Amino acid sequence: QVQLVESGGGLVQAGGSLRLSCAASGRTFSSYWMGWFRQAPGKEREFVSVINSNGGRTYYADSVKGRFTITRDNAKNTVYLQMNSLKPEDTAVYYCAAARLLRLWAAGTEYNYWGQGTQVTVSA
């Protein structure tokens, strides 16, 4: 069982930055792929980014590529999402998720555990 707790959301102006954190419980964090998803009001949940268990592989949605960076610290059981050059369309609840095995890294159904989410609001 893995419990995930996100933090770091908030209100920021367009062009600003935020860093989200996701702290995981359990001793097996380093064996999980960790992903970030987001869901805006009235929209479906969408994939943002994912990182493999040792941090050597990362993938991003085209909409955030070049602006967001995912990293992890396995010693701290934490995954991060650094978000720069934020846009109003980045406004959403951001969720982190964990997967032991991952074939389709953008598919939310592949992830076993989810956090409760943290709100990110970007004002124009």
Side-chain angles (χ1 to χ4, degrees):
Q1 187 79 7
V2 176
Q3 291 184 325
L4 304 173
V5 179
E6 302 96 334
S7 62
L11 174 63
V12 63
Q13 289 187 332
S17 299
L18 283 175
R19 188 176 81 154
L20 305 183
S21 299
C22 174
S25 65
R27 295 179 292 177
T28 58
F29 173 77
S30 61
S31 64
Y32 284 83
W33 286 71
M34 296 298 298
W36 286 97
F37 289 75
R38 66 187 182 186
Q39 187 167 20
K43 295 188 177 181
E44 293 187 353
R45 181 180 61 195
E46 65 172 352
F47 167 79
V48 175
S49 183
V50 67
I51 188 167
N52 75 330
S53 57
N54 66 12
R57 294 163 63 185
T58 59
Y59 301 97
Y60 298 91
D62 287 343
S63 59
V64 306
K65 201 172 294 182
R67 300 188 298 121
F68 291 11
T69 303
I70 189 171
T71 57
R72 68 188 297 160
D73 185 339
N74 285 345
K76 295 183 178 180
N77 278 16
T78 302
V79 62
Y80 305 97
L81 186 68
Q82 178 67 44
M83 305 186 296
N84 298 329
S85 302
L86 283 161
K87 305 174 181 179
E89 51 263 44
D90 294 318
T91 295
V93 177
Y94 283 71
Y95 299 91
C96 72
R100 284 299 299 269
L101 299 173
L102 207 56
R103 296 166 299 171
L104 302 174
W105 33 262
T109 52
E110 297 264 320
Y111 292 76
N112 308 107
Y113 303 102
W114 292 82
Q116 83 290 347
T118 186
Q119 176 71 47
V120 171
T121 302
V122 184
S123 62

PDB file of all heavy atoms in Angstrom, residues 7-13 15-21 36 67-69 80-87 90-92 94 118-123:
ATOM      1  N   SER A   7       1.519  18.564  -2.291  1.00  0.00           N
ATOM      2  CA  SER A   7       1.567  19.895  -1.699  1.00  0.00           C
ATOM      3  C   SER A   7       2.229  20.845  -2.680  1.00  0.00           C
ATOM      4  O   SER A   7       2.815  20.409  -3.681  1.00  0.00           O
ATOM      5  CB  SER A   7       2.325  19.876  -0.372  1.00  0.00           C
ATOM      6  OG  SER A   7       3.662  19.466  -0.568  1.00  0.00           O
ATOM      7  N   GLY A   8       2.135  22.141  -2.381  1.00  0.00           N
ATOM      8  CA  GLY A   8       2.823  23.133  -3.194  1.00  0.00           C
ATOM      9  C   GLY A   8       1.943  23.898  -4.160  1.00  0.00           C
ATOM     10  O   GLY A   8       2.421  24.806  -4.851  1.00  0.00           O
ATOM     11  N   GLY A   9       0.677  23.537  -4.237  1.00  0.00           N
ATOM     12  CA  GLY A   9      -0.214  24.277  -5.119  1.00  0.00           C
ATOM     13  C   GLY A   9      -0.502  25.670  -4.574  1.00  0.00           C
ATOM     14  O   GLY A   9      -0.125  26.019  -3.461  1.00  0.00           O
ATOM     15  N   GLY A  10      -1.157  26.466  -5.402  1.00  0.00           N
ATOM     16  CA  GLY A  10      -1.498  27.813  -4.977  1.00  0.00           C
ATOM     17  C   GLY A  10      -1.909  28.677  -6.137  1.00  0.00           C
ATOM     18  O   GLY A  10      -2.172  28.187  -7.239  1.00  0.00           O
ATOM     19  N   LEU A  11      -1.960  29.978  -5.872  1.00  0.00           N
ATOM     20  CA  LEU A  11      -2.337  30.969  -6.875  1.00  0.00           C
ATOM     21  C   LEU A  11      -1.081  31.689  -7.351  1.00  0.00           C
ATOM     22  O   LEU A  11      -0.279  32.159  -6.533  1.00  0.00           O
ATOM     23  CB  LEU A  11      -3.314  31.969  -6.270  1.00  0.00           C
ATOM     24  CG  LEU A  11      -3.720  33.168  -7.135  1.00  0.00           C
ATOM     25  CD1 LEU A  11      -4.463  32.704  -8.379  1.00  0.00           C
ATOM     26  CD2 LEU A  11      -4.561  34.136  -6.318  1.00  0.00           C
ATOM     27  N   VAL A  12      -0.905  31.770  -8.651  1.00  0.00           N
ATOM     28  CA  VAL A  12       0.277  32.425  -9.218  1.00  0.00           C
ATOM     29  C   VAL A  12      -0.141  33.172 -10.478  1.00  0.00           C
ATOM     30  O   VAL A  12      -1.100  32.778 -11.148  1.00  0.00           O
ATOM     31  CB  VAL A  12       1.379  31.387  -9.518  1.00  0.00           C
ATOM     32  CG1 VAL A  12       0.925  30.394 -10.577  1.00  0.00           C
ATOM     33  CG2 VAL A  12       2.686  32.041  -9.908  1.00  0.00           C
ATOM     34  N   GLN A  13       0.581  34.234 -10.783  1.00  0.00           N
ATOM     35  CA  GLN A  13       0.294  34.971 -12.011  1.00  0.00           C
ATOM     36  C   GLN A  13       0.900  34.255 -13.212  1.00  0.00           C
ATOM     37  O   GLN A  13       1.883  33.505 -13.075  1.00  0.00           O
ATOM     38  CB  GLN A  13       0.859  36.377 -11.913  1.00  0.00           C
ATOM     39  CG  GLN A  13       0.108  37.285 -10.947  1.00  0.00           C
ATOM     40  CD  GLN A  13       0.591  38.716 -11.003  1.00  0.00           C
ATOM     41  OE1 GLN A  13       1.745  38.978 -11.328  1.00  0.00           O
ATOM     42  NE2 GLN A  13      -0.295  39.648 -10.691  1.00  0.00           N
ATOM     43  N   GLY A  15       3.128  33.346 -16.146  1.00  0.00           N
ATOM     44  CA  GLY A  15       4.565  33.545 -16.260  1.00  0.00           C
ATOM     45  C   GLY A  15       5.336  33.154 -15.014  1.00  0.00           C
ATOM     46  O   GLY A  15       6.566  33.078 -15.056  1.00  0.00           O
ATOM     47  N   GLY A  16       4.622  32.915 -13.938  1.00  0.00           N
ATOM     48  CA  GLY A  16       5.257  32.548 -12.689  1.00  0.00           C
ATOM     49  C   GLY A  16       5.583  31.067 -12.602  1.00  0.00           C
ATOM     50  O   GLY A  16       5.400  30.313 -13.568  1.00  0.00           O
ATOM     51  N   SER A  17       6.062  30.669 -11.425  1.00  0.00           N
ATOM     52  CA  SER A  17       6.496  29.287 -11.207  1.00  0.00           C
ATOM     53  C   SER A  17       5.922  28.742  -9.909  1.00  0.00           C
ATOM     54  O   SER A  17       5.638  29.497  -8.965  1.00  0.00           O
ATOM     55  CB  SER A  17       8.028  29.221 -11.133  1.00  0.00           C
ATOM     56  OG  SER A  17       8.624  29.652 -12.329  1.00  0.00           O
ATOM     57  N   LEU A  18       5.763  27.438  -9.886  1.00  0.00           N
ATOM     58  CA  LEU A  18       5.408  26.700  -8.676  1.00  0.00           C
ATOM     59  C   LEU A  18       6.142  25.375  -8.707  1.00  0.00           C
ATOM     60  O   LEU A  18       6.433  24.851  -9.790  1.00  0.00           O
ATOM     61  CB  LEU A  18       3.900  26.429  -8.611  1.00  0.00           C
ATOM     62  CG  LEU A  18       2.947  27.554  -8.198  1.00  0.00           C
ATOM     63  CD1 LEU A  18       1.506  27.078  -8.341  1.00  0.00           C
ATOM     64  CD2 LEU A  18       3.224  28.012  -6.775  1.00  0.00           C
ATOM     65  N   ARG A  19       6.408  24.845  -7.529  1.00  0.00           N
ATOM     66  CA  ARG A  19       6.944  23.494  -7.443  1.00  0.00           C
ATOM     67  C   ARG A  19       6.010  22.643  -6.595  1.00  0.00           C
ATOM     68  O   ARG A  19       5.794  22.932  -5.412  1.00  0.00           O
ATOM     69  CB  ARG A  19       8.349  23.457  -6.841  1.00  0.00           C
ATOM     70  CG  ARG A  19       8.975  22.070  -6.946  1.00  0.00           C
ATOM     71  CD  ARG A  19      10.394  21.996  -6.444  1.00  0.00           C
ATOM     72  NE  ARG A  19      10.479  21.876  -4.988  1.00  0.00           N
ATOM     73  CZ  ARG A  19      11.490  21.328  -4.334  1.00  0.00           C
ATOM     74  NH1 ARG A  19      12.519  20.863  -5.014  1.00  0.00           N
ATOM     75  NH2 ARG A  19      11.496  21.284  -3.021  1.00  0.00           N
ATOM     76  N   LEU A  20       5.485  21.612  -7.214  1.00  0.00           N
ATOM     77  CA  LEU A  20       4.640  20.667  -6.504  1.00  0.00           C
ATOM     78  C   LEU A  20       5.493  19.546  -5.950  1.00  0.00           C
ATOM     79  O   LEU A  20       6.478  19.133  -6.571  1.00  0.00           O
ATOM     80  CB  LEU A  20       3.574  20.092  -7.435  1.00  0.00           C
ATOM     81  CG  LEU A  20       2.675  21.091  -8.158  1.00  0.00           C
ATOM     82  CD1 LEU A  20       1.622  20.337  -8.971  1.00  0.00           C
ATOM     83  CD2 LEU A  20       2.037  22.058  -7.199  1.00  0.00           C
ATOM     84  N   SER A  21       5.079  19.054  -4.792  1.00  0.00           N
ATOM     85  CA  SER A  21       5.737  17.900  -4.181  1.00  0.00           C
ATOM     86  C   SER A  21       4.701  16.820  -3.928  1.00  0.00           C
ATOM     87  O   SER A  21       3.525  17.115  -3.693  1.00  0.00           O
ATOM     88  CB  SER A  21       6.387  18.288  -2.852  1.00  0.00           C
ATOM     89  OG  SER A  21       7.368  19.281  -3.022  1.00  0.00           O
ATOM     90  N   TRP A  36       2.359  12.571 -12.821  1.00  0.00           N
ATOM     91  CA  TRP A  36       1.510  13.718 -12.479  1.00  0.00           C
ATOM     92  C   TRP A  36       0.407  13.824 -13.535  1.00  0.00           C
ATOM     93  O   TRP A  36       0.677  13.730 -14.736  1.00  0.00           O
ATOM     94  CB  TRP A  36       2.312  15.017 -12.454  1.00  0.00           C
ATOM     95  CG  TRP A  36       3.211  15.172 -11.278  1.00  0.00           C
ATOM     96  CD1 TRP A  36       4.544  14.889 -11.209  1.00  0.00           C
ATOM     97  CD2 TRP A  36       2.850  15.664  -9.976  1.00  0.00           C
ATOM     98  NE1 TRP A  36       5.034  15.163  -9.956  1.00  0.00           N
ATOM     99  CE2 TRP A  36       4.008  15.638  -9.179  1.00  0.00           C
ATOM    100  CE3 TRP A  36       1.664  16.128  -9.401  1.00  0.00           C
ATOM    101  CZ2 TRP A  36       4.016  16.060  -7.850  1.00  0.00           C
ATOM    102  CZ3 TRP A  36       1.668  16.536  -8.091  1.00  0.00           C
ATOM    103  CH2 TRP A  36       2.834  16.509  -7.318  1.00  0.00           C
ATOM    104  N   ARG A  67       8.495  23.475 -20.229  1.00  0.00           N
ATOM    105  CA  ARG A  67       8.110  24.372 -19.125  1.00  0.00           C
ATOM    106  C   ARG A  67       8.105  23.645 -17.775  1.00  0.00           C
ATOM    107  O   ARG A  67       8.403  24.263 -16.749  1.00  0.00           O
ATOM    108  CB  ARG A  67       6.715  24.958 -19.376  1.00  0.00           C
ATOM    109  CG  ARG A  67       6.607  25.773 -20.644  1.00  0.00           C
ATOM    110  CD  ARG A  67       5.260  26.475 -20.735  1.00  0.00           C
ATOM    111  NE  ARG A  67       4.141  25.541 -20.789  1.00  0.00           N
ATOM    112  CZ  ARG A  67       3.146  25.520 -19.900  1.00  0.00           C
ATOM    113  NH1 ARG A  67       3.110  26.380 -18.908  1.00  0.00           N
ATOM    114  NH2 ARG A  67       2.143  24.658 -20.033  1.00  0.00           N
ATOM    115  N   PHE A  68       7.746  22.371 -17.776  1.00  0.00           N
ATOM    116  CA  PHE A  68       7.654  21.586 -16.548  1.00  0.00           C
ATOM    117  C   PHE A  68       8.807  20.586 -16.490  1.00  0.00           C
ATOM    118  O   PHE A  68       9.246  20.061 -17.526  1.00  0.00           O
ATOM    119  CB  PHE A  68       6.342  20.810 -16.488  1.00  0.00           C
ATOM    120  CG  PHE A  68       5.100  21.650 -16.301  1.00  0.00           C
ATOM    121  CD1 PHE A  68       5.130  23.033 -16.408  1.00  0.00           C
ATOM    122  CD2 PHE A  68       3.893  21.032 -16.012  1.00  0.00           C
ATOM    123  CE1 PHE A  68       3.977  23.793 -16.237  1.00  0.00           C
ATOM    124  CE2 PHE A  68       2.733  21.769 -15.831  1.00  0.00           C
ATOM    125  CZ  PHE A  68       2.783  23.142 -15.956  1.00  0.00           C
ATOM    126  N   THR A  69       9.253  20.297 -15.270  1.00  0.00           N
ATOM    127  CA  THR A  69      10.304  19.305 -15.061  1.00  0.00           C
ATOM    128  C   THR A  69       9.924  18.402 -13.898  1.00  0.00           C
ATOM    129  O   THR A  69       9.614  18.899 -12.809  1.00  0.00           O
ATOM    130  CB  THR A  69      11.650  19.971 -14.760  1.00  0.00           C
ATOM    131  OG1 THR A  69      12.001  20.852 -15.832  1.00  0.00           O
ATOM    132  CG2 THR A  69      12.745  18.918 -14.612  1.00  0.00           C
ATOM    133  N   TYR A  80       8.727  15.463  -7.490  1.00  0.00           N
ATOM    134  CA  TYR A  80       8.488  16.886  -7.647  1.00  0.00           C
ATOM    135  C   TYR A  80       8.048  17.207  -9.074  1.00  0.00           C
ATOM    136  O   TYR A  80       8.394  16.499 -10.014  1.00  0.00           O
ATOM    137  CB  TYR A  80       9.765  17.681  -7.351  1.00  0.00           C
ATOM    138  CG  TYR A  80      10.366  17.403  -6.007  1.00  0.00           C
ATOM    139  CD1 TYR A  80      11.409  16.484  -5.873  1.00  0.00           C
ATOM    140  CD2 TYR A  80       9.908  18.056  -4.870  1.00  0.00           C
ATOM    141  CE1 TYR A  80      11.968  16.225  -4.635  1.00  0.00           C
ATOM    142  CE2 TYR A  80      10.470  17.806  -3.631  1.00  0.00           C
ATOM    143  CZ  TYR A  80      11.493  16.885  -3.517  1.00  0.00           C
ATOM    144  OH  TYR A  80      12.046  16.627  -2.286  1.00  0.00           O
ATOM    145  N   LEU A  81       7.318  18.304  -9.188  1.00  0.00           N
ATOM    146  CA  LEU A  81       6.992  18.841 -10.503  1.00  0.00           C
ATOM    147  C   LEU A  81       7.277  20.334 -10.464  1.00  0.00           C
ATOM    148  O   LEU A  81       6.542  21.094  -9.823  1.00  0.00           O
ATOM    149  CB  LEU A  81       5.531  18.585 -10.869  1.00  0.00           C
ATOM    150  CG  LEU A  81       5.145  18.995 -12.290  1.00  0.00           C
ATOM    151  CD1 LEU A  81       5.837  18.083 -13.307  1.00  0.00           C
ATOM    152  CD2 LEU A  81       3.628  18.945 -12.490  1.00  0.00           C
ATOM    153  N   GLN A  82       8.358  20.729 -11.100  1.00  0.00           N
ATOM    154  CA  GLN A  82       8.705  22.136 -11.218  1.00  0.00           C
ATOM    155  C   GLN A  82       7.974  22.705 -12.421  1.00  0.00           C
ATOM    156  O   GLN A  82       8.145  22.209 -13.537  1.00  0.00           O
ATOM    157  CB  GLN A  82      10.211  22.311 -11.386  1.00  0.00           C
ATOM    158  CG  GLN A  82      10.650  23.758 -11.567  1.00  0.00           C
ATOM    159  CD  GLN A  82      10.425  24.603 -10.333  1.00  0.00           C
ATOM    160  OE1 GLN A  82      10.728  24.168  -9.221  1.00  0.00           O
ATOM    161  NE2 GLN A  82       9.915  25.816 -10.510  1.00  0.00           N
ATOM    162  N   MET A  83       7.177  23.722 -12.173  1.00  0.00           N
ATOM    163  CA  MET A  83       6.352  24.298 -13.237  1.00  0.00           C
ATOM    164  C   MET A  83       6.764  25.754 -13.446  1.00  0.00           C
ATOM    165  O   MET A  83       6.610  26.585 -12.547  1.00  0.00           O
ATOM    166  CB  MET A  83       4.873  24.213 -12.857  1.00  0.00           C
ATOM    167  CG  MET A  83       4.412  22.808 -12.514  1.00  0.00           C
ATOM    168  SD  MET A  83       2.636  22.686 -12.241  1.00  0.00           S
ATOM    169  CE  MET A  83       2.443  23.718 -10.799  1.00  0.00           C
ATOM    170  N   ASN A  84       7.292  26.032 -14.620  1.00  0.00           N
ATOM    171  CA  ASN A  84       7.722  27.381 -14.975  1.00  0.00           C
ATOM    172  C   ASN A  84       6.867  27.924 -16.113  1.00  0.00           C
ATOM    173  O   ASN A  84       6.174  27.168 -16.795  1.00  0.00           O
ATOM    174  CB  ASN A  84       9.192  27.370 -15.391  1.00  0.00           C
ATOM    175  CG  ASN A  84      10.114  26.919 -14.291  1.00  0.00           C
ATOM    176  OD1 ASN A  84       9.841  27.133 -13.100  1.00  0.00           O
ATOM    177  ND2 ASN A  84      11.208  26.287 -14.656  1.00  0.00           N
ATOM    178  N   SER A  85       6.943  29.227 -16.300  1.00  0.00           N
ATOM    179  CA  SER A  85       6.197  29.888 -17.386  1.00  0.00           C
ATOM    180  C   SER A  85       4.743  29.450 -17.396  1.00  0.00           C
ATOM    181  O   SER A  85       4.192  29.084 -18.444  1.00  0.00           O
ATOM    182  CB  SER A  85       6.861  29.570 -18.735  1.00  0.00           C
ATOM    183  OG  SER A  85       8.204  29.981 -18.751  1.00  0.00           O
ATOM    184  N   LEU A  86       4.139  29.501 -16.247  1.00  0.00           N
ATOM    185  CA  LEU A  86       2.767  29.020 -16.118  1.00  0.00           C
ATOM    186  C   LEU A  86       1.797  29.870 -16.915  1.00  0.00           C
ATOM    187  O   LEU A  86       1.974  31.089 -17.054  1.00  0.00           O
ATOM    188  CB  LEU A  86       2.364  28.980 -14.641  1.00  0.00           C
ATOM    189  CG  LEU A  86       2.941  27.785 -13.877  1.00  0.00           C
ATOM    190  CD1 LEU A  86       2.904  28.029 -12.378  1.00  0.00           C
ATOM    191  CD2 LEU A  86       2.198  26.515 -14.236  1.00  0.00           C
ATOM    192  N   LYS A  87       0.779  29.199 -17.419  1.00  0.00           N
ATOM    193  CA  LYS A  87      -0.254  29.838 -18.232  1.00  0.00           C
ATOM    194  C   LYS A  87      -1.617  29.633 -17.570  1.00  0.00           C
ATOM    195  O   LYS A  87      -1.800  28.657 -16.827  1.00  0.00           O
ATOM    196  CB  LYS A  87      -0.282  29.209 -19.626  1.00  0.00           C
ATOM    197  CG  LYS A  87       1.049  29.235 -20.358  1.00  0.00           C
ATOM    198  CD  LYS A  87       0.942  28.466 -21.667  1.00  0.00           C
ATOM    199  CE  LYS A  87       2.273  28.465 -22.404  1.00  0.00           C
ATOM    200  NZ  LYS A  87       2.191  27.704 -23.681  1.00  0.00           N
ATOM    201  N   ASP A  90      -3.031  26.207 -17.482  1.00  0.00           N
ATOM    202  CA  ASP A  90      -2.461  25.210 -16.571  1.00  0.00           C
ATOM    203  C   ASP A  90      -3.285  25.083 -15.295  1.00  0.00           C
ATOM    204  O   ASP A  90      -3.019  24.216 -14.459  1.00  0.00           O
ATOM    205  CB  ASP A  90      -1.025  25.580 -16.193  1.00  0.00           C
ATOM    206  CG  ASP A  90      -0.076  25.520 -17.370  1.00  0.00           C
ATOM    207  OD1 ASP A  90      -0.169  24.559 -18.167  1.00  0.00           O
ATOM    208  OD2 ASP A  90       0.766  26.431 -17.486  1.00  0.00           O
ATOM    209  N   THR A  91      -4.273  25.944 -15.123  1.00  0.00           N
ATOM    210  CA  THR A  91      -5.116  25.892 -13.939  1.00  0.00           C
ATOM    211  C   THR A  91      -5.851  24.558 -13.867  1.00  0.00           C
ATOM    212  O   THR A  91      -6.528  24.150 -14.817  1.00  0.00           O
ATOM    213  CB  THR A  91      -6.141  27.044 -13.958  1.00  0.00           C
ATOM    214  OG1 THR A  91      -5.440  28.291 -13.863  1.00  0.00           O
ATOM    215  CG2 THR A  91      -7.125  26.929 -12.808  1.00  0.00           C
ATOM    216  N   ALA A  92      -5.691  23.875 -12.740  1.00  0.00           N
ATOM    217  CA  ALA A  92      -6.282  22.542 -12.566  1.00  0.00           C
ATOM    218  C   ALA A  92      -5.948  22.027 -11.167  1.00  0.00           C
ATOM    219  O   ALA A  92      -5.121  22.618 -10.465  1.00  0.00           O
ATOM    220  CB  ALA A  92      -5.746  21.565 -13.613  1.00  0.00           C
ATOM    221  N   TYR A  94      -3.961  19.184  -9.522  1.00  0.00           N
ATOM    222  CA  TYR A  94      -2.856  18.315  -9.922  1.00  0.00           C
ATOM    223  C   TYR A  94      -2.764  17.126  -8.970  1.00  0.00           C
ATOM    224  O   TYR A  94      -2.773  17.298  -7.748  1.00  0.00           O
ATOM    225  CB  TYR A  94      -1.551  19.094  -9.912  1.00  0.00           C
ATOM    226  CG  TYR A  94      -1.414  19.993 -11.120  1.00  0.00           C
ATOM    227  CD1 TYR A  94      -2.191  21.134 -11.256  1.00  0.00           C
ATOM    228  CD2 TYR A  94      -0.506  19.692 -12.137  1.00  0.00           C
ATOM    229  CE1 TYR A  94      -2.086  21.953 -12.366  1.00  0.00           C
ATOM    230  CE2 TYR A  94      -0.390  20.506 -13.256  1.00  0.00           C
ATOM    231  CZ  TYR A  94      -1.187  21.630 -13.360  1.00  0.00           C
ATOM    232  OH  TYR A  94      -1.078  22.441 -14.468  1.00  0.00           O
ATOM    233  N   THR A 118      -3.806  18.726  -5.473  1.00  0.00           N
ATOM    234  CA  THR A 118      -3.507  20.066  -4.994  1.00  0.00           C
ATOM    235  C   THR A 118      -3.897  21.060  -6.075  1.00  0.00           C
ATOM    236  O   THR A 118      -3.635  20.826  -7.261  1.00  0.00           O
ATOM    237  CB  THR A 118      -2.024  20.211  -4.601  1.00  0.00           C
ATOM    238  OG1 THR A 118      -1.799  21.492  -4.010  1.00  0.00           O
ATOM    239  CG2 THR A 118      -1.093  20.026  -5.784  1.00  0.00           C
ATOM    240  N   GLN A 119      -4.543  22.146  -5.681  1.00  0.00           N
ATOM    241  CA  GLN A 119      -5.075  23.104  -6.645  1.00  0.00           C
ATOM    242  C   GLN A 119      -3.983  24.055  -7.107  1.00  0.00           C
ATOM    243  O   GLN A 119      -3.249  24.636  -6.292  1.00  0.00           O
ATOM    244  CB  GLN A 119      -6.209  23.917  -6.014  1.00  0.00           C
ATOM    245  CG  GLN A 119      -6.773  25.009  -6.905  1.00  0.00           C
ATOM    246  CD  GLN A 119      -7.575  24.458  -8.065  1.00  0.00           C
ATOM    247  OE1 GLN A 119      -8.416  23.576  -7.885  1.00  0.00           O
ATOM    248  NE2 GLN A 119      -7.333  24.989  -9.265  1.00  0.00           N
ATOM    249  N   VAL A 120      -3.899  24.228  -8.411  1.00  0.00           N
ATOM    250  CA  VAL A 120      -3.020  25.227  -9.019  1.00  0.00           C
ATOM    251  C   VAL A 120      -3.904  26.184  -9.812  1.00  0.00           C
ATOM    252  O   VAL A 120      -4.664  25.747 -10.680  1.00  0.00           O
ATOM    253  CB  VAL A 120      -1.979  24.574  -9.944  1.00  0.00           C
ATOM    254  CG1 VAL A 120      -1.219  25.650 -10.730  1.00  0.00           C
ATOM    255  CG2 VAL A 120      -1.018  23.726  -9.140  1.00  0.00           C
ATOM    256  N   THR A 121      -3.801  27.455  -9.511  1.00  0.00           N
ATOM    257  CA  THR A 121      -4.581  28.463 -10.206  1.00  0.00           C
ATOM    258  C   THR A 121      -3.624  29.511 -10.767  1.00  0.00           C
ATOM    259  O   THR A 121      -2.820  30.088 -10.020  1.00  0.00           O
ATOM    260  CB  THR A 121      -5.593  29.135  -9.273  1.00  0.00           C
ATOM    261  OG1 THR A 121      -6.450  28.138  -8.717  1.00  0.00           O
ATOM    262  CG2 THR A 121      -6.441  30.147 -10.048  1.00  0.00           C
ATOM    263  N   VAL A 122      -3.712  29.734 -12.074  1.00  0.00           N
ATOM    264  CA  VAL A 122      -2.850  30.700 -12.738  1.00  0.00           C
ATOM    265  C   VAL A 122      -3.725  31.831 -13.253  1.00  0.00           C
ATOM    266  O   VAL A 122      -4.610  31.611 -14.094  1.00  0.00           O
ATOM    267  CB  VAL A 122      -2.070  30.052 -13.896  1.00  0.00           C
ATOM    268  CG1 VAL A 122      -1.094  31.069 -14.507  1.00  0.00           C
ATOM    269  CG2 VAL A 122      -1.323  28.817 -13.414  1.00  0.00           C
ATOM    270  N   SER A 123      -3.471  33.020 -12.758  1.00  0.00           N
ATOM    271  CA  SER A 123      -4.262  34.172 -13.173  1.00  0.00           C
ATOM    272  C   SER A 123      -3.615  34.854 -14.371  1.00  0.00           C
ATOM    273  O   SER A 123      -2.387  34.864 -14.513  1.00  0.00           O
ATOM    274  CB  SER A 123      -4.395  35.158 -12.023  1.00  0.00           C
ATOM    275  OG  SER A 123      -3.131  35.644 -11.644  1.00  0.00           O
TER     276      SER A 123
END
